[in-house]
């Protein structure tokens, strides 16, 4: 059976014989489980800080390491998909995810829990690009918009319900249940994919450049590690700035090497297409704002506002649901109107929402926070899918896997940098406030200090959002390269 599949893959599969629905269901279940697990944990950070007796700067490693591993792994997926079948990649990814979940569930302390998260991230990093490329392969251009909208809807539901579900679990049970409850879902995903998943890729087995993989690991890893340590050590520490410098150098050498290779791990020629390059920068800035806000909000809700994990999850639920429902709507509008009509107003809405967050204090009402969060998520839904589709529309077909790999990698790294940067700004603001306080040991003063730190972080988020808006003003509708059939979003 496997020999037959490998032989078919070498020739390229007959896509006309493939049933799309079961493949899409398998992809959606896997992605839902992986993304749900990521958002389940964010809301648990305040509980985990107490349970594991660690600092906020340490606990963020559960999120940062996850994004770092995904960011390091995704560049390699473009070439892995030319070595392994879609079925092998997907089932392998979900198996890694299941093993990591089991390790995290039984972890005796922080170090083993972090190891479990790293193994989970191996699964997520392999799966996300496979999902994107499978959709591009099995759907004709005129139907891709609907398929991406459906996947967007389902995948947006996971982050929406994640904080609420985790809050409910944490109010009744201990944090380990966040992992226990995911185990059967991951196991079901593997069984379902074993039955229904088919190969849709062509196996060419190109030469793998090991030096490129080492350089990308040093580059992306160094930048994220340096930013993450800044929370504990401060920006003036040699360990911080040397790691960031080594990371930037690694990325530059990696990028240069890709341009010289016949079979690059990540094909940098995608950046020759101006709209792809512009949108990649825009996504970097957007992800920093998005990840940081989603990390700071639960800390604010459960810190200065003294709400339970469940209540803070409920406050973030409406915004998440609105974001999920807007994904297919944005897809349809994009097909008809092009990117500018959605992306520029969307970015303006995000900027307004972050500005409104700069005014929060210990008296802010739940209704105000729900409203501002909904406003922000509406803005994000108008930007993310239309901008990414605009970028990929400009690429020739052979650069699809590399385009999606580049975008996924840089979004993960930007998210990790955003979380580290904003938490370090918040921590520094809190310390500065307490240093001036007449009674720094008073718990109320500590909470006031946290609010002060949050204000600083949200103001930086506001300026980053304004930068994104300026970049967004240059977005234009794109056409496929000469000789390629038109894809979604072309108003055909």
């Amino acid at each position: 059976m496997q020999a037959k599949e490998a032989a078919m893959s070498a020739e390229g599969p007959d896509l006309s014989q493939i049933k799309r629905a079961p493949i899409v269901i398998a992809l959606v279940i896997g992605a839902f489980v992986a993304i749900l697990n990521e958002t389940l944990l964010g809301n648990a950070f305040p509980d985990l800080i107490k349970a594991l007796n660690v600092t906020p700067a340490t606990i963020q490693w559960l999120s940062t390491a996850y994004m770092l591993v995904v960011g390091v792994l995704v560049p390699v997926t473009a070439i892995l998909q030319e070595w392994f079948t879609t079925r092998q990649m997907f089932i392998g990814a979900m198996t890694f995810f299941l093993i990591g979940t089991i390790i995290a569930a039984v972890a005796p302390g922080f170090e083993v829990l972090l190891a479990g998260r790293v193994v989970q991230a191996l699964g997520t990093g392999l799966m996300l690009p496979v999902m994107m490329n499978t959709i591009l392969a099995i759907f004709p251009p005129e139907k891709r918009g609907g398929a991406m909208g459906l996947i967007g809807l389902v995948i947006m539901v996971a982050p929406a319900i994640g904080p609420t579900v985790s809050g409910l679990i944490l109010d009744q049970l201990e944090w380990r249940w966040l992992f226990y409850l995911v185990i059967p879902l991951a196991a079901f995903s593997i069984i379902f994919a074993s039955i229904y998943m088919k190969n849709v890729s062509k196996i060419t087995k190109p030469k793998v450049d090991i030096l490129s993989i080492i350089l990308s690991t040093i580059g992306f890893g160094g930048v994220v590690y340096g930013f993450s340590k800044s929370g504990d050590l401060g920006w003036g520490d040699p360990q911080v700035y040397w790691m960031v410098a080594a990371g930037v150098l690694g990325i530059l050498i990696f990028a240069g090497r890709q341009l010289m290779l016949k079979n690059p791990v990540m094909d940098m020629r995608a950046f020759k297409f101006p709209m792809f390059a512009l949108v990649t920068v825009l996504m970097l800035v957007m992800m920093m704002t998005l990840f940081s806000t989603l990390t700071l909000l639960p800390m604010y809700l459960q810190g200065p506002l003294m709400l339970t994990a469940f209540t803070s999850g409920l406050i973030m639920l409406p915004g998440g649901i609105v974001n999920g429902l807007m994904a297919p709507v944005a897809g349809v509008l994009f097909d008809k109107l092009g990117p500018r009509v959605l992306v520029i107003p969307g970015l303006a809405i995000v900027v307004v929402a972050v500005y409104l967050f700069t005014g929060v204090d210990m008296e802010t009402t739940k209704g105000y926070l729900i409203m501002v969060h909904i406003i922000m998520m509406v803005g994000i839904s108008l930007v993310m899918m239309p901008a990414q589709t605009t970028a990929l529309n400009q690429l020739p077909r052979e650069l699809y896997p590399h385009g999606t790999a580049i975008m996924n990698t840089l979004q993960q790294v930007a998210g990790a940098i955003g979380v580290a940067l904003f938490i370090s700004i918040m921590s520094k603001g809190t310390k500065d406030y307490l240093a001036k306080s007449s009674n720094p040991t008073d718990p109320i003063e500590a909470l006031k200090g946290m609010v002060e730190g949050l204000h600083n972080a949200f103001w930086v988020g506001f300026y980053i959002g304004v930068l994104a808006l300026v970049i967004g003003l240059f977005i234009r509708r794109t056409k496929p390269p000469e000789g390629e059939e038109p894809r979604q979003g072309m108003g055909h």
Side-chain angles (χ1 to χ4, degrees):
M1 174 82 184
Q2 283 187 330
K4 183 180 171 188
E5 188 179 277
M8 279 178 64
S9 300
E11 300 161 11
D14 181 4
L15 297 179
S16 64
Q17 301 300 312
I18 283 176
K19 290 181 181 172
R20 295 180 199 141
I23 294 177
V24 173
I25 292 167
L27 291 171
V28 164
I29 293 169
F32 180 81
V33 171
I35 295 165
L36 177 68
N37 191 256
E38 172 67 3
T39 55
L40 277 179
L41 211 61
N43 201 22
F45 278 4
D47 280 50
L48 287 167
I49 288 169
K50 292 176 202 156
L52 302 173
N53 195 23
V54 291
T55 65
T58 303
I59 206 72
Q60 71 159 335
W61 270 100
L62 294 177
S63 182
T64 303
Y66 194 93
M67 288 187 280
L68 173 57
V69 172
V70 173
V72 165
L73 193 60
V74 171
V76 188
T77 55
I79 210 156
L80 282 177
Q81 288 180 81
E82 296 177 271
W83 271 85
F84 299 100
T85 67
T86 317
R87 182 184 161 85
Q88 288 167 339
M89 287 281 288
F90 185 82
I91 294 172
M94 287 310 299
T95 303
F96 270 122
F97 186 83
L98 177 61
I99 293 167
T101 306
I102 293 167
I103 292 169
V106 299
F110 177 78
E111 290 77 11
V112 180
L113 177 58
L114 183 61
R117 291 288 287 164
V118 166
V119 179
Q120 277 188 326
L122 289 172
T124 306
L126 287 170
M127 186 184 58
L128 292 176
V130 171
M131 183 178 68
M132 289 284 288
N133 291 325
T134 303
I135 293 297
L136 290 174
I138 65 175
F139 282 93
E142 67 276 5
K143 291 188 179 174
R144 277 187 203 139
M148 293 297 247
L150 173 68
I151 287 215
L153 166 65
V154 176
I155 289 171
M156 292 297 181
V157 169
I161 65 171
T164 313
V165 171
S166 70
L168 189 58
I169 293 166
L170 291 168
D171 277 1
Q172 306 298 324
L173 304 160
E174 64 161 348
W175 61 266
R176 293 179 192 280
W177 281 92
L178 297 174
F179 298 103
Y180 290 147
L181 294 171
V182 170
I183 291 170
L185 290 173
F188 173 75
S189 173
I190 292 168
I191 294 164
F192 189 91
S194 301
I195 299 166
Y196 292 109
M197 197 63 166
K198 297 285 184 283
N199 182 49
V200 300
S201 60
K202 186 176 178 182
I203 306 299
T204 56
K205 299 201 172 180
K207 188 181 175 205
V208 180
D209 185 55
I210 302 299
L211 180 57
S212 291
I213 294 171
I214 293 167
L215 285 169
S216 81
T217 304
I218 292 168
F220 296 118
V223 167
V224 175
Y225 180 80
F227 270 91
S228 300
K229 291 304 283 183
S230 66
D232 273 340
L233 305 174
W235 295 100
D237 191 279
Q239 193 180 336
V240 172
Y241 57 75
W242 281 117
M243 282 304 289
V244 172
V248 170
L249 186 63
I251 290 170
L252 292 173
I253 298 170
F254 168 76
R257 184 166 178 80
Q258 300 318 292
L259 294 170
M260 294 187 291
L261 291 172
K262 186 184 173 191
N263 295 308
V265 170
M266 190 186 262
D267 199 331
M268 295 294 163
R269 286 176 304 167
F271 284 107
K272 287 183 180 175
F273 297 87
M275 207 45 60
F276 178 85
L278 179 92
V279 169
T280 302
V281 175
L282 175 62
M283 287 290 116
L284 278 175
V285 179
M286 275 293 294
M287 292 308 277
M288 284 179 69
T289 309
L290 175 61
F291 273 88
S292 51
T293 307
L294 294 180
T295 306
L296 293 173
L297 267 183
M299 290 186 167
Y300 164 65
L301 293 167
Q302 294 170 51
L305 293 192
M306 293 185 263
L307 300 171
T308 64
F310 180 53
T311 308
S312 66
L314 278 178
I315 285 172
M316 295 174 77
L317 179 63
I321 289 174
V322 167
N323 187 242
L325 294 174
M326 285 292 292
V329 175
V332 172
L333 289 174
F334 173 75
D335 277 346
K336 291 180 179 173
L337 306 171
R340 287 177 64 81
V341 181
L342 298 173
V343 172
I344 296 170
L347 288 166
I349 290 168
V350 171
V351 169
V352 169
V354 179
Y355 175 75
L356 292 173
F357 274 130
T358 61
V360 298
D361 56 29
M362 291 174 73
E363 307 298 320
T364 303
T365 64
K366 298 186 190 78
Y368 178 85
L369 293 170
I370 291 168
M371 179 194 74
V372 176
H373 188 239
I374 287 173
I375 292 169
M376 183 172 182
M377 296 313 264
V378 166
I380 285 167
S381 68
L382 293 175
V383 175
M384 300 297 273
M385 180 265 177
Q388 290 185 73
T389 309
T390 299
L392 294 169
N393 270 347
Q394 204 175 24
L395 299 182
R397 196 163 288 278
E398 69 272 10
L399 286 180
Y400 285 168
H402 295 278
T404 54
I406 288 167
M407 228 165 234
N408 280 320
T409 301
L410 295 179
Q411 282 178 30
Q412 293 293 332
V413 172
I417 290 171
V419 169
L421 176 68
F422 282 73
I423 286 186
S424 69
I425 292 167
M426 184 192 78
S427 300
K428 185 177 185 303
T430 307
K431 283 177 193 165
D432 291 350
Y433 179 88
L434 291 174
K436 296 174 194 165
S437 171
S438 56
N439 189 8
T441 54
D442 181 7
I444 299 297
E445 281 293 286
L447 292 176
K448 284 181 180 173
M450 191 175 178
V451 169
E452 194 65 29
L454 279 162
H455 283 166
N456 295 351
F458 280 126
W459 272 113
V460 172
F462 171 74
Y463 296 129
I464 291 174
V466 170
L467 174 63
L469 177 57
V470 172
I471 296 167
L473 295 174
F474 296 94
I475 200 163
R476 295 284 183 277
R477 189 186 280 256
T478 51
K479 292 183 179 179
E482 207 64 39
E484 299 245 350
E485 56 183 325
R487 291 184 57 221
Q488 60 177 25
M490 295 311 304
H492 47 269

